[in-house]
Coordinates of all heavy atoms in Angstrom, one line a residue:
V835 N -8.6 -35.3 47.8 CA -9.8 -35.3 48.5 C -10.6 -34.1 48.2 O -11.9 -34.1 48.0 CB -9.6 -35.5 50.1 CG1 -10.9 -35.4 50.8 CG2 -8.9 -36.8 50.4
L840 N -12.2 -38.6 44.3 CA -11.4 -39.7 44.7 C -12.2 -41.0 44.6 O -11.7 -42.1 44.1 CB -11.1 -39.5 46.2 CG -10.3 -40.7 46.9 CD1 -9.0 -40.9 46.2 CD2 -10.1 -40.3 48.4
V841 N -13.5 -41.0 44.9 CA -14.3 -42.2 44.8 C -14.4 -42.7 43.4 O -14.3 -43.9 43.1 CB -15.7 -42.0 45.4 CG1 -16.6 -43.2 45.3 CG2 -15.6 -41.5 46.9
I860 N -6.9 -47.1 51.5 CA -6.7 -45.7 51.3 C -6.2 -45.0 52.6 O -6.9 -45.1 53.6 CB -7.9 -44.9 50.8 CG1 -8.3 -45.5 49.4 CG2 -7.6 -43.4 50.6 CD1 -7.3 -45.4 48.3
E861 N -5.0 -44.4 52.6 CA -4.4 -43.8 53.8 C -4.6 -42.3 53.7 O -4.2 -41.6 52.7 CB -2.9 -44.1 53.9 CG -2.7 -45.6 54.3 CD -1.2 -45.8 54.6 OE1 -0.4 -44.8 54.6 OE2 -0.8 -46.9 54.9
L862 N -5.2 -41.7 54.7 CA -5.4 -40.2 54.9 C -4.7 -39.7 56.0 O -4.5 -40.4 57.1 CB -6.9 -39.9 55.0 CG -7.9 -40.5 53.9 CD1 -9.3 -40.2 54.3 CD2 -7.6 -39.8 52.6
T863 N -4.2 -38.5 56.0 CA -3.6 -37.8 57.1 C -4.6 -37.0 57.9 O -5.7 -36.6 57.4 CB -2.4 -36.9 56.6 OG1 -2.9 -35.9 55.8 CG2 -1.4 -37.8 55.8
V866 N -5.8 -33.8 56.2 CA -6.9 -34.0 55.2 C -8.2 -33.9 55.9 O -9.1 -33.2 55.4 CB -6.7 -35.3 54.5 CG1 -7.9 -35.5 53.5 CG2 -5.4 -35.3 53.7
L867 N -8.3 -34.5 57.0 CA -9.6 -34.5 57.8 C -9.9 -33.1 58.3 O -11.1 -32.7 58.3 CB -9.5 -35.5 58.9 CG -9.2 -37.0 58.5 CD1 -9.2 -37.9 59.7 CD2 -10.1 -37.5 57.4
D870 N -10.9 -30.3 54.9 CA -12.2 -30.4 54.2 C -13.0 -31.5 54.9 O -13.1 -32.6 54.3 CB -12.0 -30.7 52.7 CG -11.2 -29.6 52.0 OD1 -11.7 -28.5 51.9 OD2 -10.1 -29.9 51.5
T871 N -13.4 -31.2 56.1 CA -14.0 -32.3 56.9 C -15.3 -32.9 56.2 O -15.4 -34.1 56.2 CB -14.4 -31.7 58.3 OG1 -13.3 -31.1 58.9 CG2 -15.0 -32.7 59.2
E872 N -16.2 -32.0 55.8 CA -17.4 -32.6 55.2 C -17.2 -33.3 53.9 O -17.8 -34.4 53.7 CB -18.4 -31.4 55.0 CG -18.8 -30.7 56.2 CD -19.5 -31.6 57.2 OE1 -20.2 -32.6 56.8 OE2 -19.3 -31.4 58.4
I873 N -16.3 -32.8 53.1 CA -16.0 -33.5 51.8 C -15.3 -34.9 52.2 O -15.7 -35.9 51.6 CB -15.1 -32.7 51.0 CG1 -15.8 -31.4 50.5 CG2 -14.6 -33.4 49.7 CD1 -15.0 -30.5 49.7
A874 N -14.4 -34.8 53.1 CA -13.7 -36.1 53.5 C -14.6 -37.1 54.1 O -14.6 -38.3 53.8 CB -12.5 -35.8 54.4
L875 N -15.6 -36.6 54.9 CA -16.5 -37.5 55.5 C -17.4 -38.2 54.5 O -17.6 -39.4 54.6 CB -17.4 -36.7 56.5 CG -18.4 -37.5 57.4 CD1 -17.6 -38.4 58.3 CD2 -19.3 -36.5 58.2
R876 N -17.9 -37.5 53.5 CA -18.7 -38.1 52.5 C -17.9 -39.1 51.6 O -18.4 -40.2 51.3 CB -19.3 -37.0 51.5 CG -20.3 -36.1 52.2 CD -21.1 -35.3 51.2 NE -20.3 -34.4 50.4 CZ -20.0 -33.2 50.8 NH1 -20.5 -32.7 51.9 NH2 -19.2 -32.4 50.0
Q877 N -16.7 -38.8 51.3 CA -15.9 -39.7 50.4 C -15.4 -40.9 51.2 O -15.4 -42.0 50.6 CB -14.7 -38.9 49.9 CG -15.1 -37.8 48.9 CD -14.0 -37.2 48.1 OE1 -13.5 -37.9 47.2 NE2 -13.6 -36.0 48.4
I878 N -15.1 -40.8 52.5 CA -14.7 -42.0 53.3 C -15.9 -42.9 53.4 O -15.8 -44.1 53.3 CB -14.2 -41.5 54.7 CG1 -12.9 -40.9 54.6 CG2 -14.2 -42.7 55.7 CD1 -12.4 -40.3 55.9
A879 N -17.1 -42.4 53.6 CA -18.3 -43.2 53.7 C -18.5 -43.9 52.4 O -18.9 -45.1 52.4 CB -19.5 -42.3 54.1
A880 N -18.3 -43.2 51.3 CA -18.5 -43.8 49.9 C -17.5 -44.9 49.7 O -17.8 -46.0 49.1 CB -18.5 -42.8 48.9
L881 N -16.2 -44.7 50.1 CA -15.2 -45.7 49.9 C -15.5 -47.0 50.7 O -15.4 -48.1 50.3 CB -13.8 -45.2 50.3 CG -13.3 -44.1 49.4 CD1 -12.0 -43.5 50.0 CD2 -12.9 -44.7 48.0
R882 N -15.9 -46.8 52.0 CA -16.3 -48.0 52.8 C -17.5 -48.7 52.3 O -17.6 -49.9 52.4 CB -16.5 -47.5 54.3 CG -15.2 -47.1 55.0 CD -15.5 -46.7 56.4 NE -16.1 -47.7 57.2 CZ -15.5 -48.8 57.8 NH1 -14.2 -48.9 57.7 NH2 -16.2 -49.7 58.5
E883 N -18.4 -47.9 51.7 CA -19.5 -48.6 51.1 C -19.1 -49.5 49.9 O -19.7 -50.5 49.6 CB -20.6 -47.5 50.6 CG -21.9 -48.1 50.1 CD -22.9 -47.0 49.8 OE1 -22.6 -45.9 50.1 OE2 -23.9 -47.4 49.2
L884 N -18.1 -49.1 49.2 CA -17.5 -49.9 48.1 C -16.8 -51.1 48.6 O -16.7 -52.1 47.9 CB -16.5 -49.1 47.3 CG -17.1 -48.0 46.4 CD1 -15.9 -47.2 45.7 CD2 -18.0 -48.6 45.3
G885 N -16.4 -51.1 49.9 CA -15.6 -52.2 50.5 C -14.2 -51.9 50.6 O -13.4 -52.8 50.9
V886 N -13.8 -50.7 50.3 CA -12.4 -50.2 50.4 C -12.1 -49.9 51.8 O -12.9 -49.3 52.5 CB -12.1 -49.0 49.4 CG1 -10.7 -48.6 49.6 CG2 -12.4 -49.4 48.0
R887 N -10.9 -50.3 52.3 CA -10.4 -50.0 53.7 C -9.9 -48.5 53.7 O -9.3 -48.0 52.7 CB -9.3 -50.9 54.1 CG -9.7 -52.4 54.1 CD -8.5 -53.3 54.3 NE -8.9 -54.7 54.1 CZ -9.2 -55.5 55.2 NH1 -9.2 -55.0 56.4 NH2 -9.5 -56.8 55.0
V888 N -10.1 -47.9 54.9 CA -9.6 -46.5 55.1 C -8.8 -46.4 56.4 O -9.3 -46.9 57.4 CB -10.8 -45.5 55.1 CG1 -10.3 -44.1 55.3 CG2 -11.6 -45.6 53.9
S889 N -7.6 -45.9 56.3 CA -6.8 -45.8 57.5 C -6.3 -44.4 57.7 O -6.3 -43.6 56.7 CB -5.5 -46.7 57.3 OG -4.7 -46.3 56.3
L890 N -6.0 -44.0 58.9 CA -5.5 -42.7 59.3 C -4.0 -42.8 59.5 O -3.5 -43.5 60.4 CB -6.2 -42.2 60.6 CG -5.8 -40.8 61.1 CD1 -6.1 -39.8 60.0 CD2 -6.5 -40.5 62.4
Y902 N -12.4 -36.6 65.6 CA -12.3 -37.2 64.3 C -12.4 -38.7 64.3 O -12.9 -39.3 63.4 CB -11.0 -36.7 63.6 CG -11.0 -35.2 63.2 CD1 -10.1 -34.4 63.8 CD2 -11.9 -34.7 62.3 CE1 -10.1 -33.0 63.5 CE2 -11.9 -33.4 62.0 CZ -11.0 -32.5 62.6 OH -11.0 -31.2 62.3
R905 N -16.0 -39.5 64.5 CA -16.9 -39.1 63.4 C -16.6 -39.9 62.2 O -17.5 -40.3 61.4 CB -16.7 -37.6 63.1 CG -17.2 -36.7 64.1 CD -17.1 -35.2 63.7 NE -17.9 -35.0 62.4 CZ -17.9 -33.9 61.7 NH1 -17.0 -32.9 62.1 NH2 -18.6 -33.8 60.7
F906 N -15.3 -40.2 61.9 CA -14.9 -40.9 60.7 C -14.9 -42.4 60.9 O -14.3 -42.9 61.9 CB -13.5 -40.4 60.2 CG -13.5 -39.0 59.7 CD1 -13.2 -38.0 60.6 CD2 -13.9 -38.7 58.4 CE1 -13.2 -36.7 60.1 CE2 -13.9 -37.4 58.0 CZ -13.6 -36.4 58.8
A907 N -15.5 -43.2 60.0 CA -15.5 -44.6 60.1 C -14.2 -45.1 59.5 O -14.0 -45.3 58.3 CB -16.7 -45.2 59.3
L908 N -13.2 -45.4 60.4 CA -11.8 -45.8 60.0 C -11.6 -47.3 60.2 O -12.2 -47.9 61.2 CB -10.8 -45.0 60.7 CG -10.8 -43.5 60.6 CD1 -9.8 -42.8 61.5 CD2 -10.6 -43.1 59.1
D909 N -10.8 -47.9 59.4 CA -10.5 -49.3 59.6 C -9.1 -49.5 60.3 O -8.9 -50.5 61.0 CB -10.4 -50.0 58.2 CG -11.7 -50.0 57.5 OD1 -12.6 -50.8 58.0 OD2 -11.9 -49.3 56.5

Side-chain angles (χ1 to χ4, degrees):
V835 177
L840 178 60
V841 178
I860 298 298
E861 291 190 0
L862 304 173
T863 62
V866 174
L867 306 183
D870 299 297
T871 303
E872 295 302 325
I873 296 177
L875 187 64
R876 290 194 298 269
Q877 295 193 70
I878 289 174
L881 289 172
R882 286 180 58 83
E883 186 176 350
L884 287 175
V886 177
R887 302 169 186 264
V888 180
S889 64
L890 181 61
Y902 289 117
R905 291 185 62 189
F906 291 95
L908 302 173
D909 296 288

